[in-house]
Amino acid sequence: MANNILLADEETHFFGDVCKNFDYAAQFTKHDAGLLDQIKSCNSVYRFRFPIRKGDGFEVIDAWRVEHSQHQSPTKGGIRYSEMVNEDEVMALAALMTYKCAIVNVPFGGAKGGIKINPKNYTVQELENITRRYTVELIKKNFIGPSIDVPAPDYGSGEREMSWIADTYATMNPGQLDAMGAVTGKPIALHGIAGRREATGRGVAIAIRECVSVAEDMKRIGLTTGISGKRVIVQGLGNVGYHSAKFLAEFGATIVGLCEFEGAIYNADGLDVEAVFQHRKSTGSILGYAGAAIEFKNSMEGLEQDCDILVPAALENQITDANVKNIKAKIIAEGANGPTSPDAETVFYAKGGLIIPDMYANAGGVTVSYFEWLKNLSHVAFGRMNRRFEETANTNLVNMVEGITGVALTPMQRSTIIKGASELELVNSGLEDTMIRSYHEIRETYSNTEKIDTLRTAAFVGAINKIAVSYKNLGVWP
């Protein structure tokens, strides 16, 4: 067992695992084999290499962009910066993006990108050069654009890299009105949207909250209903893991364990997520945190400690048939893409567990990216045109009620009722509605369709049916 949770085994055949899950779910649909093959296959796989200056010499960079499905346009998916990136992984992640968008009813096809580097080994200037050259290569092959293919952040990339991509695309397409819609996950100052940074983690937390609210399902796996007091272990303290833990704690859960590549910490009485985050920021490690009751130098041991819910939010293939029997959690909520192998999933369900699948659980990011894309196309922030109107209407309503009843509200009560929604509040409302509706749509298929034995299969069935309808309506041309 690898000690480093960030190591991805290139021999795991990630795309094969996704296809295996697809094929299993497809038997519960009524579509012909040719249509299913079209849905499953990657439409376009672009692998390329380009040189950069490194010191006094050159270095050749390997990179990919995969467009899995154009049943909806544009295609959408993040760009991963990692030494472990390979073509199989990018294809798998692109496919998952297709199904993910269908599950949460976001009108995009799936795509994904990868640059085979460790960002820590490069200066900021070198990273900028790599990112801009990568963008130019995509432009040359028509693999990027607000109506073609819209990248976003992924592991190893963030707002900074998305800014470089946006600027490069706009520079190479002078006068294009919607140029900023060519990439999402941008900072607010560069036409990003409030709430995007924490969207994936918030979505994971909402997904878990909805899951544990269903009394029938909780009774079956031996847990009480509700998020309050549930003991959670989170793997990964990056953007997704940190915000998942943060919002779960706000919802009332107890974060008992945190795992990172340098090790893991555990305290049955709970950990202060923000304090751990700041400790790691200052020391470079979660180890040595004063509030930890137990430390593990092998981070994988942290996954096996006592808890109710495990949130793997690092990389794929973290829970396998080698360690799944040691997992004590009753629920695995997949914050990362593909953290649970198919064989491990079978064992976990046989043990009486429940898995909230990645295709749904981490869809908060693409949902809010969709909102950002809409904002970029409309060229106006959400709430800007109607917030003052809402506040005026609410003020008139409150004044009328106070006049009729003779009861005056306190200033705090008035401000709470009168205040119009900000962009952040609207984004969070849209995200929450999306995650809630999608979960119960998946669960309805799971609970009402005979022989569908996992939430993942139910999610796949729903996605396949939606994508099939799109392809049938599009037809084939010529």
Side-chain angles (χ1 to χ4, degrees):
M1 180 62 61
N3 290 339
N4 190 329
I5 65 171
L6 300 183
L7 289 178
D9 183 357
E10 293 195 9
E11 300 304 319
T12 56
H13 305 296
F14 189 8
F15 183 63
D17 286 347
V18 174
C19 291
K20 182 178 179 181
N21 286 324
F22 179 98
D23 290 339
Y24 181 75
Q27 66 182 311
F28 301 106
T29 69
K30 298 179 180 179
H31 309 296
D32 67 67
L35 179 56
L36 291 171
D37 187 45
Q38 171 60 44
I39 296 171
K40 181 171 65 172
S41 302
C42 288
N43 287 356
S44 304
V45 180
Y46 179 30
R47 177 178 182 174
F48 52 102
R49 309 184 84 204
F50 56 85
I52 64 160
R53 292 189 181 275
K54 181 76 169 171
D56 295 329
F58 294 89
E59 180 179 336
V60 178
I61 305 295
D62 290 291
W64 293 263
R65 187 69 183 175
V66 173
E67 294 175 353
H68 175 261
S69 175
Q70 275 98 0
H71 74 284
Q72 299 274 12
S73 291
T75 53
K76 186 86 181 72
I79 302 172
R80 179 165 291 193
Y81 290 47
S82 170
E83 287 181 307
M84 283 75 75
V85 164
N86 58 75
E87 190 167 302
D88 176 80
E89 178 187 59
V90 180
M91 290 172 64
L93 294 171
L96 286 173
M97 280 299 301
T98 292
Y99 310 134
K100 185 181 302 184
C101 290
I103 287 165
V104 294
N105 299 303
V106 168
F108 292 139
K112 208 72 177 184
I115 303 176
K116 196 178 183 67
I117 61 170
N118 181 349
K120 295 179 181 179
N121 296 338
Y122 298 84
T123 66
V124 172
Q125 183 60 60
E126 288 168 344
L127 284 173
E128 182 174 354
N129 292 343
I130 291 169
T131 303
R132 289 184 182 274
R133 179 61 184 266
Y134 177 85
T135 306
V136 170
E137 294 297 327
L138 296 184
I139 293 169
K140 285 160 58 177
K141 295 295 185 181
N142 208 29
F143 263 69
I144 185 173
S147 62
I148 299 168
D149 188 354
V150 182
D154 196 80
Y155 177 77
S157 62
E159 293 179 356
R160 180 183 64 181
E161 288 75 18
M162 301 308 107
S163 296
W164 294 333
I165 292 172
D167 180 64
T168 306
Y169 183 84
T171 301
M172 297 292 289
N173 292 273
Q176 186 175 122
L177 185 63
D178 296 329
M180 288 298 140
V183 61
T184 62
K186 304 179 296 293
I188 298 293
L190 200 67
H191 308 282
I193 194 168
R196 173 60 183 88
R197 184 182 303 169
E198 62 269 29
T200 306
R202 183 185 288 274
V204 170
I206 294 170
I208 293 170
R209 188 188 67 190
E210 286 309 300
C211 176
V212 300
S213 72
V214 182
E216 179 185 348
D217 293 347
M218 293 305 99
K219 182 179 180 180
R220 185 169 65 250
I221 64 176
L223 291 179
T224 57
T225 305
I227 193 67
S228 181
K230 292 291 189 295
R231 300 164 302 148
V232 181
I233 293 175
V234 178
Q235 182 198 38
L237 205 57
N239 184 51
V240 178
Y242 166 72
H243 285 108
S244 297
K246 177 179 181 289
F247 291 119
L248 283 168
E250 289 182 8
F251 291 164
T254 302
I255 308 301
V256 296
L258 292 168
C259 312
E260 255 296 346
F261 73 89
E262 69 270 9
I265 57 176
Y266 183 87
N267 188 331
D269 295 326
L271 296 165
D272 184 328
V273 176
E274 185 60 32
V276 175
F277 182 79
Q278 293 302 327
H279 171 79
R280 186 170 192 257
K281 190 175 181 180
S282 62
T283 68
S285 173
I286 61 174
L287 300 178
Y289 172 65
I294 310 173
E295 289 189 351
F296 305 93
K297 289 187 177 180
N298 181 345
S299 64
M300 299 303 283
E301 291 185 52
L303 306 182
E304 301 172 0
Q305 303 310 302
D306 194 29
C307 67
D308 302 311
I309 302 167
L310 174 62
V311 184
L315 288 181
E316 64 270 10
N317 206 45
Q318 299 300 302
I319 301 168
T320 66
D321 53 2
N323 66 349
V324 66
K325 292 181 181 178
N326 299 326
I327 300 297
K328 297 180 177 62
K330 293 290 188 178
I331 298 172
I332 295 175
E334 296 182 328
N337 288 310
T340 312
S341 73
D343 290 341
E345 180 166 23
T346 300
V347 173
F348 190 72
Y349 268 92
K351 289 172 57 181
L354 184 69
I355 295 178
I356 307 175
D358 50 4
M359 297 185 302
Y360 160 70
N362 62 35
V366 73
T367 299
V368 176
S369 276
Y370 171 51
F371 300 158
E372 181 180 339
W373 181 72
L374 291 175
K375 176 183 177 179
N376 295 155
L377 297 187
S378 64
H379 302 279
V380 62
F382 291 111
R384 179 168 184 173
M385 294 183 66
N386 59 347
R387 182 174 181 177
R388 185 62 61 185
F389 178 83
E390 289 178 359
E391 290 181 351
T392 301
N394 292 340
T395 299
N396 293 335
L397 181 61
V398 168
N399 290 340
M400 183 181 68
V401 171
E402 286 182 332
I404 293 173
T405 63
V407 177
L409 298 176
T410 67
M412 179 67 74
Q413 290 171 328
R414 284 182 65 89
S415 65
T416 301
I417 296 172
I418 290 171
K419 185 175 72 69
S422 66
E423 179 173 87
L424 178 60
E425 290 168 327
L426 290 169
V427 165
N428 288 343
S429 175
L431 171 60
E432 185 169 17
D433 182 69
T434 297
M435 297 304 293
I436 291 172
R437 288 175 180 269
S438 299
Y439 181 76
H440 292 288
E441 184 179 294
I442 294 167
R443 191 195 169 274
E444 183 177 356
T445 301
Y446 172 60
S447 59
N448 294 336
T449 307
E450 187 179 359
K451 295 184 180 180
I452 290 184
D453 50 359
T454 69
L455 287 173
R456 191 185 314 279
T457 299
F460 262 106
V461 168
I464 291 169
N465 286 333
K466 292 175 186 178
I467 297 166
V469 168
S470 293
Y471 273 122
K472 287 177 180 178
N473 288 337
L474 286 170
V476 179
W477 185 88

